[in-house]
Amino acid sequence: DNYRIGMGGGAVSSVATGEFAHSLELNAVQRANPEMQKRVANAIRAMAEADSNPIVSIHDHGAGGHLNCLSELVEDTGGTIDMQQLPIGDPTLSAKEIVGNESQERMGLVMKSQHISLLKQVAERERAPMYQVGIITGDHHLKFEATEPPHPMDLELQHLFGSSPKTILEDQTKERHFEICSYKADEVEEYLSKIFMLEGVGCKDWLTNKVDRSVTGKVALQQTTGSLQLPLNNLGISAMDYSGKKGVATSIGHAPVAGLIDPEAGSRLSVAEALTNLVWAPLENGLSNVSLSANWMWPAKTAGEDARLYAAVEALSNIACKLGINVPTGKDSLSLKQKYPDNTTVLAPGTVIVSACAEVTDFNLAVTPDLKPADQSHLIYIDFSSAPLGLGGSSLGQALNQIGGSTPDIKDIGYFKRCFNVIQELISEKLILAGHDVGEGGLITSLLEMAFPTTRTGFTADLSALGNDPVKVLFNENPAVVIQVSKLDEVKVIMHRQNLSYQIIGSVSEQSSADIKINISRYSFDIATYRSQWFKTSYLLDRHQTRPDLARDRYENFHRQPVDFILPNSFKGTYSSLDLDPRHNTVSPFKAAIIREKGVNGDREMAYSLFLAGFEVKDVHMTDLVAGRETLEDISLMVFVGGFSNSDVLGSAKGWAGAFRYNQQAQQTIKQFYQRSDTLSLGVCNGCQLMMELGLVYPEHNEHPKMQQNDSGKFESSFLTVDIHENPSVMFGSLAGSRLGIWVAHGEGKFHFPLNREHYEIAATYGYQAYPGNPNGSQYNAAAVCSSDGRHLAIMPHLERSIFPWQWAYRDQLGSAQVTPWMEAFVNARKWVAKQIKTKQPSNSSAFEL
């Protein structure tokens, strides 16, 4: 709804903080409501996925609010908006405040009148507020109509979307000169320790461990890599669907300090970093299919800065054109300065953050940075820059409190393009074992980061061919890549054919050290020692968001808890071995239901897991149960899925549980389901919390297990292992004795048991008892529990996001498997249901209390 807090966002985002009145800046705060976003998205997706999409046009509310969104929807036709129909939370708002309100999570649609009732029905089911606010007139006139004239907006569209006057900025170029970096050649070890303490170079685990990196089940490549699961991947990939191998790759690049020295070089380096991060996935049509987004962060309207901005924009345009890639979108935040009452002004370095995006032909071929144990494998350095090594704008300069006089650059854009295409060819030919770009922290950081994610590899390198100055060689940030290859002769043929320069700089070893030679200089870096230094930055930041003792535990245990697996003896990993049909063209007699509440986000991946296992899957919203539209009488397997029902404001799915407890129809439906003896149920994450809250797993107990907030006090996301024990579970029984990789993503995943361990069937425990291997502090190390008869299972980790090898963040032991052992759990459920149907077991009439 419209409130005064939704005013002023667009205006304030482009001026210096402190320039406007304090009240206006407070009114510019834009609220965020992700649950409402999800509800709206569900309603729109229902329209978009219909056989015939009834949405004619769609536009989000952003800067300008209703005025911008609704006017642009009718800019080719004209329309009348009835302001009385707009959602207004504050009746004191003026017409201007209503029309320009920028409150979030709102979409404007154009639909034909005969389709409105369908959208209304879907919106009510999804609990997405919907308002019919106006009509298309076709008279090229725009009117925001009040109850009586004068109307706040009443004009011809040509006056609104006509030829707007161009803004002309005048500025003078101001030359800036910085001294070249000064350093001592004999302090390399000290410099390395210093740069590892920089936020831009050090470990980002403090950031990645608290965001859901598995949601949707379509995440094919996220931040962490290797058996130690360190956040070092170059790019991210999202699968386009669950059955194919195509995806979308994204990466970012920026060079703020280099841009301070030379804004044009800063733009080129930002593009170069984004592309040398993106290059590690096989792209459809290679470089030509890449699109960029440019986010300009600049202290504009300051003497000399507009000229620098112009030069930076022009440089980015030029390199994009020469590379043959487009920049279809972007954003500007031109207010990166702070004014103080004494007229002091602090500027941030102008920079452009470049996001790169492209379609991936096969995400299974994506290359990760972690070195692979391989006999006679080689490290190759490929320079993309064609420029002298430079330390200007480098992390070393920052660590020494220096900016530097000259910055790296891209001197030959055509050669850069050729380098990119050669890496693409090597990936397609499966000739690269590991690869990493040279970026923040320089070449030495890139080499060590390739060794950090595993405890099994080190390397020896001779970097003499790169230069005589060991500091420049080790800490330069010239755009380049390092690749690990085993078939050196085949790689050489391809690079020679493309006339590419390269240096074979070393080989991978099984020792835990990095031995480097640069002419007469010799260095030996203990990988474990420097990995700990690199991780310490994350620990120091993590202390501010996690219980300090647990932040310390994470720091001390991260290298002691490698991900390793014990696969079931019977595991073959093929569709045929589990009798799976990815096409599933026939109607299945086995019925499963996804039960979801507003805010859940694990429904799609769970539905596909069930579908692949052979179930016909029904989507059931809580509104269907409350209204009596769904009775579950034909359902054999009911699944409560993961997410954040009711935004988890009450904690542990208590709000979701209330929807069952305090709605007679829903309560009766679930009672009848659990009174039957031919049914199974599964609760995952938020659904696990719901089952615990309702006492669905152990209805015979007077006191039920509860889910509590993680001991760390924050959301936990990680790929870890769980051990499956001997258990009576229908789904997990055949997996006993295995240790499997799985995703966790929860804030309240701690099992609390009121009774001793022998009173519970704990089907799965976390692979390590110490944090973060046990991410929530669960009692008895529990990750999953099941009922004594094995029919009802509650699990906190997301098995439905772990059914394919490409979903696993570390999968070396899975080989060429098509599915992971988790798929067997769903097949076990299907087989059990088939047996019940065949034997036609009578219903159990025993009482069930909710």
Side-chain angles (χ1 to χ4, degrees):
D1 293 353
N2 294 313
Y3 288 92
R4 189 161 283 108
I5 198 172
M7 292 300 299
V12 173
S13 66
S14 295
V15 299
T17 304
E19 184 168 322
F20 282 175
H22 186 58
S23 59
L24 179 57
E25 291 184 358
L26 288 179
N27 280 339
V29 176
Q30 296 179 339
R31 296 163 295 154
N33 186 344
E35 184 187 286
M36 185 62 76
Q37 279 188 328
K38 188 67 166 59
R39 295 193 227 172
V40 171
N42 283 344
I44 292 172
R45 185 163 61 179
M47 300 295 103
E49 293 181 350
D51 292 337
S52 178
N53 184 358
I55 299 176
V56 176
S57 184
I58 186 169
H59 195 10
D60 69 298
H61 278 69
H66 295 301
L67 176 59
N68 179 67
C69 174
L70 302 180
S71 66
E72 291 189 2
L73 283 171
V74 304
E75 65 177 300
D76 292 328
T77 56
T80 297
I81 310 300
D82 183 356
M83 293 181 58
Q84 300 304 306
Q85 301 305 315
L86 295 174
I88 300 174
D90 181 353
T92 69
L93 293 181
S94 67
K96 179 184 73 173
E97 290 170 323
I98 295 171
V99 169
N101 200 281
E102 297 181 4
S103 296
Q104 301 294 289
E105 285 78 49
R106 304 191 295 199
M107 303 294 291
L109 311 181
V110 174
M111 299 180 69
K112 294 183 178 180
S113 56
Q114 62 264 35
H115 298 140
I116 296 295
S117 59
L118 172 63
L119 178 60
K120 184 176 182 180
Q121 179 183 354
V122 171
E124 287 178 352
R125 181 173 186 256
E126 299 291 346
R127 296 197 178 104
M130 170 193 159
Y131 306 89
Q132 188 173 344
V133 300
I135 59 171
I136 302 296
T137 58
D139 60 1
H140 299 283
H141 192 89
L142 175 65
K143 181 191 294 185
F144 276 79
E145 194 171 57
T147 52
E148 57 185 35
H151 304 301
M153 184 67 63
D154 190 357
L155 78 170
E156 298 295 325
L157 284 173
Q158 63 177 340
H159 300 309
L160 186 63
F161 294 107
S163 179
S164 301
K166 291 184 177 179
T167 299
I168 298 176
L169 300 177
E170 294 186 3
D171 197 14
Q172 302 249 340
T173 300
K174 294 183 67 173
E175 296 292 338
R176 289 196 178 116
H177 299 283
F178 303 98
E179 294 183 3
I180 63 172
C181 290
S182 59
Y183 50 84
K184 298 178 180 178
D186 59 351
E187 294 188 2
V188 166
E189 290 86 354
E190 181 181 346
Y191 292 160
L192 185 57
S193 298
K194 284 185 175 181
I195 66 168
F196 279 174
M197 295 301 292
L198 297 176
E199 183 184 359
V201 179
C203 180
K204 310 299 187 299
D205 177 78
W206 69 276
L207 179 60
T208 59
N209 68 40
K210 64 179 180 181
V211 293
D212 192 340
R213 294 175 283 125
S214 60
V215 64
T216 73
K218 292 183 180 179
V219 182
L221 189 68
Q222 41 67 59
Q223 290 95 332
T224 58
T225 190
S227 62
L228 297 185
Q229 283 297 282
L230 299 181
L232 284 168
N233 275 330
N234 301 294
L235 73 161
I237 304 177
S238 295
M240 289 188 177
D241 53 49
Y242 298 112
S243 59
K245 58 184 181 180
K246 289 191 173 184
V248 177
T250 57
S251 66
I252 60 172
H254 76 316
V257 185
L260 188 62
I261 300 170
D262 182 343
E264 298 174 60
S267 288
R268 289 188 287 266
L269 291 171
S270 295
V271 172
E273 184 182 20
L275 294 179
T276 52
N277 276 316
L278 192 72
V279 73
W280 305 108
L283 308 181
E284 185 77 35
N285 299 320
L287 184 61
S288 63
N289 223 26
V290 174
S291 293
L292 304 181
S293 174
N295 187 355
W296 296 97
M297 316 290 287
W298 219 271
K301 299 180 182 177
T302 304
E305 289 299 329
D306 288 338
R308 287 166 48 79
L309 174 59
Y310 185 93
V313 173
E314 186 176 47
L316 189 140
S317 174
N318 288 338
I319 188 174
C321 290
K322 290 179 181 179
L323 289 171
I325 57 181
N326 66 345
V327 191
T329 185
K331 184 182 182 296
D332 62 80
S333 297
L334 305 182
S335 59
L336 293 192
K337 56 184 176 181
Q338 170 76 47
K339 286 188 175 180
Y340 292 93
D342 63 357
N343 291 324
T344 299
T345 301
V346 177
L347 309 182
T351 189
V352 56
I353 299 174
V354 173
S355 302
C357 175
E359 182 180 345
V360 176
T361 58
D362 185 351
F363 47 64
N364 294 298
L365 299 182
V367 173
T368 56
D370 50 309
L371 294 175
K372 309 300 188 295
D375 294 334
Q376 297 182 336
S377 67
H378 302 271
L379 296 175
I380 300 177
Y381 172 86
I382 303 174
D383 172 40
F384 278 51
S385 71
S386 305
L389 301 181
L391 295 177
S394 67
S395 299
L396 176 62
Q398 183 181 349
L400 299 177
N401 199 27
Q402 301 174 31
I403 293 176
S406 61
T407 179
D409 205 345
I410 308 298
K411 293 299 184 183
D412 188 338
I413 296 175
Y415 183 77
F416 182 99
K417 186 175 183 178
R418 199 156 70 245
C419 291
F420 189 99
N421 291 332
V422 166
I423 298 297
Q424 286 285 288
E425 184 177 355
L426 294 174
I427 291 172
S428 297
E429 297 296 327
K430 302 180 182 179
L431 292 174
I432 300 181
L433 299 177
H436 203 15
D437 72 300
V438 176
E440 290 180 278
L443 176 58
I444 180 60
T445 297
S446 298
L447 289 169
L448 287 173
E449 285 180 343
M450 295 178 76
F452 284 167
T454 176
T455 58
R456 297 178 293 169
T457 58
F459 62 88
T460 59
D462 185 347
L463 306 180
S464 302
L466 303 185
N468 297 320
D469 185 335
V471 175
K472 272 192 178 181
V473 169
L474 292 174
F475 296 100
N476 83 87
E477 298 179 9
N478 285 49
V481 301
V482 177
I483 59 175
Q484 178 194 5
V485 303
S486 58
K487 299 178 180 179
L488 182 60
D489 291 339
E490 294 182 40
V491 172
K492 283 182 176 181
V493 169
I494 292 175
M495 291 197 289
H496 287 158
R497 187 171 66 239
Q498 297 295 333
N499 195 25
L500 206 69
S501 298
Y502 63 92
Q503 299 292 334
I504 301 172
I505 59 173
S507 59
V508 176
S509 64
E510 295 182 0
Q511 62 189 13
S512 61
S513 66
D515 298 320
I516 297 176
K517 172 187 175 184
I518 306 174
N519 298 308
I520 63 172
S521 300
R522 301 287 192 278
Y523 305 95
S524 183
F525 303 101
D526 181 70
I527 291 173
T529 298
Y530 281 94
R531 179 170 52 218
S532 181
Q533 290 186 17
W534 174 79
F535 201 95
K536 187 176 182 180
T537 302
S538 177
Y539 158 62
L540 295 175
L541 290 163
D542 200 28
R543 290 188 307 176
H544 297 285
Q545 65 182 13
T546 307
R547 257 178 44 186
D549 58 321
L550 291 184
R552 167 62 69 171
D553 287 348
R554 181 185 289 274
Y555 178 46
E556 293 179 347
N557 293 331
F558 81 92
H559 62 285
R560 299 172 181 166
Q561 298 180 345
V563 177
D564 63 323
F565 315 119
I566 302 174
L567 304 179
N569 292 330
S570 60
F571 176 70
K572 294 183 176 61
T574 62
Y575 285 125
S576 58
S577 65
L578 292 174
D579 191 22
L580 300 174
D581 180 7
R583 295 171 298 279
H584 204 348
N585 291 324
T586 58
V587 176
S588 173
F590 316 120
K591 314 293 184 183
I594 298 290
I595 310 297
R596 62 184 177 92
E597 176 60 300
K598 58 181 183 291
V600 304
N601 57 26
D603 49 317
R604 291 282 173 126
E605 54 267 45
M606 180 62 75
Y608 188 80
S609 301
L610 296 168
F611 172 82
L612 183 60
F615 285 94
E616 180 183 334
V617 188
K618 183 180 289 187
D619 174 50
V620 180
H621 198 286
M622 284 302 298
T623 54
D624 299 326
L625 297 177
V626 171
R629 290 190 294 265
E630 177 58 57
T631 62
L632 303 179
E633 292 177 350
D634 61 336
I635 300 300
S636 298
L637 170 59
M638 178 168 58
V639 184
F640 305 105
V641 294
F644 297 91
S645 60
N646 297 283
S647 297
D648 266 359
V649 292
L650 300 176
S652 297
K654 290 183 175 62
W656 192 357
F660 280 109
R661 285 195 175 110
Y662 306 120
N663 287 282
Q664 185 175 0
Q665 188 70 51
Q667 182 180 134
Q668 185 63 26
T669 298
I670 195 175
K671 278 186 177 181
Q672 291 174 350
F673 180 88
Y674 275 93
Q675 285 171 355
R676 292 162 49 194
S677 60
D678 62 346
T679 60
L680 301 174
S681 68
L682 169 66
V684 178
C685 196
N686 207 208
C688 172
Q689 297 169 347
L690 175 72
M691 293 184 73
M692 295 296 100
E693 186 66 26
L694 293 178
L696 299 178
V697 179
Y698 299 105
E700 67 274 15
H701 290 187
N702 292 325
E703 286 188 89
H704 299 291
K706 297 290 185 182
M707 305 307 299
Q708 297 179 343
Q709 188 181 53
N710 298 342
D711 280 352
S712 63
K714 67 176 180 62
F715 187 88
E716 294 282 346
S717 174
S718 60
F719 182 77
L720 41 69
T721 57
V722 293
D723 295 324
I724 312 296
H725 307 281
E726 291 294 334
N727 66 89
S729 170
V730 168
M731 296 184 71
F732 281 7
S734 67
L735 299 175
S738 60
R739 168 177 281 201
L740 304 178
I742 197 168
W743 279 103
V744 298
H746 56 252
E748 293 171 304
K750 178 181 179 179
F751 278 96
H752 172 72
F753 299 100
L755 304 176
N756 293 332
R757 196 184 196 283
E758 62 267 21
H759 293 280
Y760 306 100
E761 295 290 349
I762 299 179
T765 58
Y766 292 107
Y768 297 95
Q769 288 194 358
Y771 179 80
N774 177 340
N776 45 54
S778 280
Q779 198 173 351
Y780 310 138
N781 209 30
V785 298
C786 68
S787 58
S788 55
D789 62 3
R791 293 194 296 127
H792 308 298
L793 174 68
I795 179 172
M796 184 49 57
H798 286 273
L799 74 163
E800 79 285 7
R801 298 179 184 175
S802 312
I803 63 172
F804 294 117
W806 54 263
Q807 294 172 322
W808 285 28
Y810 183 66
R811 50 183 177 268
D812 282 11
Q813 292 172 242
L814 293 176
S816 59
Q818 293 173 302
V819 294
T820 73
W822 291 118
M823 200 60 228
E824 187 173 317
F826 295 100
V827 172
N828 290 340
R830 181 200 70 199
K831 291 179 178 178
W832 187 91
V833 169
K835 184 177 180 181
Q836 305 309 303
I837 293 175
K838 185 176 180 179
T839 58
K840 295 183 179 179
Q841 292 283 347
S843 295
N844 184 352
S845 59
S846 61
F848 183 88
E849 295 298 326
L850 188 65

